[in-house]
Amino acid sequence: MTFVRVGGVPHHVEVTGSGPVCVLSAGLGLSWFDWDRVVPLLAPSRTVVRFDRPGLGLSGHARVAPTARGEAERIRAVLDAVGLGGRRVTVAGHSLAGFHAEAFARLYPERTAGLVLVDSSVEEHPRVRLPRAPRVACTRACATVLCAAGVPRAVGPLLRRLLAPHPQAWVYGTSRVWQAALMEYATYGDVAIELSALRSEFPLADLPVTVLAAHAGGSRRWLTRQHHLATSLAAPFHVAEPSGHLVMRDRPADVAEAILTTGPR
């Protein structure tokens, strides 16, 4: 475990293993420990980097609202800060972080060895209903009220243990995690719109990409959308089944295989 300062904010980073580098970035409001079951499968042959975005996990308070470019830059800066800036990396993004990982691959192709989207967010026609500035201001105000009322401490760890138990669930009792998660939710549409623009401006060229979708039975509409994403990226498409949205917890071997077969041999 280490902490590096990026944009004035302390970022919690863990680097494990040796070999070609892969970066693991978890979805909206999630933490470094959500990759715990995947890391041992990668570490024998990969240098695994996982980090917490500002406000989440053990990182310091977020100072600005998220953007696609900003999160791509964050991945680059974290790699530089831990001494891995000179190596091409396989970047894996789960859920919302799929937007961040793809933005990194498009903006920094010279530093990208492969892209793995793990049940990534998909927005075919992204849009927002309200302007960004008032949305961000309202979200900050709501988060302040909730935190002042003690809601995170009262229900945060309990909710996390009910949804996906982990010994580190206590981090969800902190106000900074709730504030960061609410802001990621409030700016989700903005990040989707920004990524759509980046897709038009920055092609992926011949970069290897893999799309891994989760399916637990029932409706297959989500798989159809994930398959369309894979087709648009000219990427192999795989299904982790049965699995909920937290594929790295439910099917860690599937996630590890996708990363190992997409990045350098």
Side-chain angles (χ1 to χ4, degrees):
M1 179 187 301
T2 188
F3 287 86
V4 298
R5 192 169 289 274
V6 174
V9 179
H11 284 58
H12 167 234
V13 186
E14 292 206 358
V15 182
T16 311
S18 61
V21 182
C22 63
V23 181
L24 310 179
S25 189
L28 193 156
L30 299 180
S31 303
W32 88 98
F33 58 74
D34 286 295
W35 297 98
D36 276 358
R37 297 178 184 177
V38 177
V39 172
L41 304 178
L42 294 173
S45 59
R46 294 290 184 273
T47 299
V48 184
V49 180
R50 48 184 171 154
F51 68 96
D52 292 319
R53 295 186 294 277
L56 302 177
L58 300 178
S59 289
H61 284 273
R63 294 188 174 186
V64 297
T67 65
R69 283 180 178 269
E71 296 310 317
E73 166 65 16
R74 190 181 315 285
I75 295 171
R76 184 202 63 78
V78 166
L79 289 168
D80 288 349
V82 296
L84 297 172
R87 300 170 66 176
R88 298 180 73 217
V89 305
T90 301
V91 58
H94 165 257
S95 192
L96 170 63
F99 289 165
H100 307 161
E102 186 181 338
F104 175 87
R106 291 182 182 278
L107 291 169
Y108 302 103
E110 74 285 355
R111 300 187 59 164
T112 309
L115 171 64
V116 179
L117 301 177
V118 183
D119 214 38
S120 177
S121 295
V122 179
E123 292 297 331
E124 294 86 352
H125 307 289
R127 62 186 184 277
V128 294
R129 298 182 182 277
L130 297 173
R132 177 179 172 91
R135 246 186 306 118
V136 168
C138 182
T139 300
R140 284 184 174 142
C142 291
T144 299
V145 171
L146 288 172
C147 294
V151 173
R153 184 170 55 254
V155 304
L158 176 61
L159 286 176
R160 173 64 208 225
R161 292 187 185 104
L162 289 174
L163 295 172
H166 194 280
Q168 301 288 350
W170 63 268
V171 301
Y172 289 91
T174 63
S175 60
R176 60 181 171 75
V177 169
W178 277 62
Q179 290 167 346
L182 287 170
M183 190 60 69
E184 287 194 335
Y185 179 79
T187 56
Y188 172 91
D190 302 304
V191 174
I193 291 171
E194 190 180 354
L195 178 60
S196 180
L198 291 177
R199 285 171 173 165
S200 300
E201 188 176 356
F202 299 96
L204 286 176
D206 296 326
L207 181 73
V209 183
T210 296
V211 173
L212 177 65
H215 190 247
S219 171
R220 303 185 74 84
R221 182 173 179 272
W222 178 244
L223 291 187
T224 300
R225 296 178 68 195
Q226 290 281 312
H227 186 265
H228 288 166
L229 173 64
T231 300
S232 70
L233 299 175
F237 175 65
H238 303 285
V239 180
E241 189 174 17
S243 175
H245 183 49
L246 292 181
V247 192
M248 55 277 212
R249 291 173 55 88
D250 295 344
R251 305 282 295 189
D254 290 0
V255 176
E257 181 179 6
I259 293 170
L260 291 171
T261 56
T262 303
R265 298 285 180 174

